[in-house]
Amino acid sequence: MTVESDVPAIVVLGSINMDLVTTTARRPVPGETVLGSGFAMVPGGKGANQAIAARRAGGEVRFLGAVGDDVFAGELRRSLTDAAVFTDRLRTVAGPSGIATIVVDDDGENSIIVVGGANTRMSELTEDDLAAIAAADILLCQLEIPVDTVAAAARHARAHGTTVLLNPSPARALPADLWTNVDVAVVNSGEAEQLDADLDTVAHLVVTRGAAGADYRGPDGARFSRPSPQVDVVDTTGAGDAFTGALAAAWHRGPEWALTWACAAGALATTRLGASSSIPAREEITAAMVAE
């Protein structure tokens, strides 16, 4: 597909969770109990976070995923529709929705445990799912749903000229045929070391480095880095997802612009508590870029 306007069509295939967020002065060590200072339930999941981030950053976004038939399902669905993400391909399955328990300390650092729930049931793509992927400009995926489903989606995208952007997180060994269908990979520095050999096969590689910004390596040998705006960090949860979604929304403008745009989005996401609740709007990202 070729983007015909400044609003790319993005399909996000991935997870959606309810995040159970606890704040505390410091995170406990094994066997220790500490007192918390706050608790919140915030819709999240890497897929949903990136879908909302891509929408707020300027893309037209459709989400492919699954919720359960539990008490969290309605709120999870509303979190996407309220963000103007299309949910016609969001299915409901029997059983619990995905959840994540998150502990955030006073330094803004976090520890996370994810229980996949309905996300693990995304084991096949329907004809309508495949049609949505073929019609999109970008397919954006992560690894909180079955890898075989991600690989099938990437193959279909490649066959129909849809750019495949993969955030291979949580990092793991992946089938070779998945990597051959990835156009853009977005990883943090730890994932870059773990997946080093596989990433050599990817045309465009983006490595995020937290407050230091991000690095780019292109197919023609091009390399450059972009800094992140300096901000007061409250919570780093979801910052990587804000970065990745914004990168997808700006990719059609070229890697240099997209990386600068994404660094601003990722930095702004650390200034508020939560994942989806911290994702900045397009106007905020623009203002941060101008300020720099």
Side-chain angles (χ1 to χ4, degrees):
M1 295 290 293
T2 300
V3 178
E4 296 179 353
S5 71
D6 202 38
V7 183
I10 301 169
V11 165
V12 178
L13 170 64
S15 60
I16 181 166
N17 300 324
M18 182 60 75
D19 291 348
L20 311 177
V21 185
T22 303
T23 53
T24 182
R26 63 179 180 81
R27 289 169 290 166
V29 298
E32 181 186 21
T33 298
V34 299
L35 294 177
S37 56
F39 173 77
M41 293 195 304
V42 184
K46 294 190 71 66
N49 292 342
Q50 292 179 17
I52 293 172
R55 179 68 187 104
R56 289 183 181 168
E60 178 184 276
V61 182
R62 176 165 276 103
F63 184 73
L64 275 59
V67 293
D69 56 4
D70 58 0
V71 295
F72 294 144
E75 188 172 351
L76 291 175
R77 187 178 290 271
R78 281 191 298 275
S79 70
L80 292 173
T81 56
D82 287 350
V85 173
F86 292 113
T87 58
D88 53 309
R89 304 312 316 146
L90 176 60
R91 65 187 73 170
T92 299
V93 300
S97 300
I99 65 99
T101 57
I102 303 172
V103 180
V104 183
D105 64 24
D106 282 351
D107 293 325
E109 296 298 327
N110 61 66
S111 298
I112 304 173
I113 299 173
V114 176
V115 181
N119 298 304
T120 65
R121 304 280 299 278
M122 282 294 294
S123 57
E124 61 182 17
L125 298 169
T126 67
E127 289 300 320
D128 287 339
D129 293 338
L130 294 172
I133 292 169
D137 299 305
I138 290 179
L139 170 67
L140 173 55
C141 303
Q142 320 77 33
L143 300 179
E144 289 185 340
I145 66 169
V147 169
D148 287 348
T149 307
V150 175
R155 284 194 301 271
H156 192 72
R158 173 59 63 88
H160 290 82
T162 299
T163 297
V164 178
L165 197 161
L166 177 66
N167 174 210
S169 179
R172 69 188 77 171
L174 297 176
D177 71 324
L178 173 53
W179 286 116
T180 60
N181 289 315
V182 173
D183 299 294
V184 188
V186 180
V187 296
N188 62 32
S189 54
E191 292 161 347
E193 291 182 6
Q194 184 175 347
L195 300 171
D196 182 50
D198 291 322
L199 294 174
D200 287 341
T201 67
V202 177
H204 302 274
L205 174 63
V206 174
V207 180
T208 62
R209 303 196 181 278
D215 301 332
Y216 169 83
R217 186 202 72 206
D220 55 358
R223 292 177 181 268
F224 59 83
S225 299
R226 288 292 180 269
S228 287
Q230 298 302 301
V231 297
D232 294 324
V233 175
V234 173
D235 177 13
T236 58
T237 307
D241 294 334
F243 177 100
T244 303
L247 186 81
W251 188 252
H252 65 288
R253 302 188 68 173
E256 293 191 35
W257 174 271
L259 208 65
T260 305
W261 183 255
C263 284
L268 290 170
T270 70
T271 64
R272 294 187 282 259
L273 184 67
S276 62
S277 57
S278 70
I279 294 169
R282 184 172 187 167
E283 295 77 15
E284 294 177 283
I285 302 171
T286 301
M289 289 178 66
V290 170
E292 286 294 303

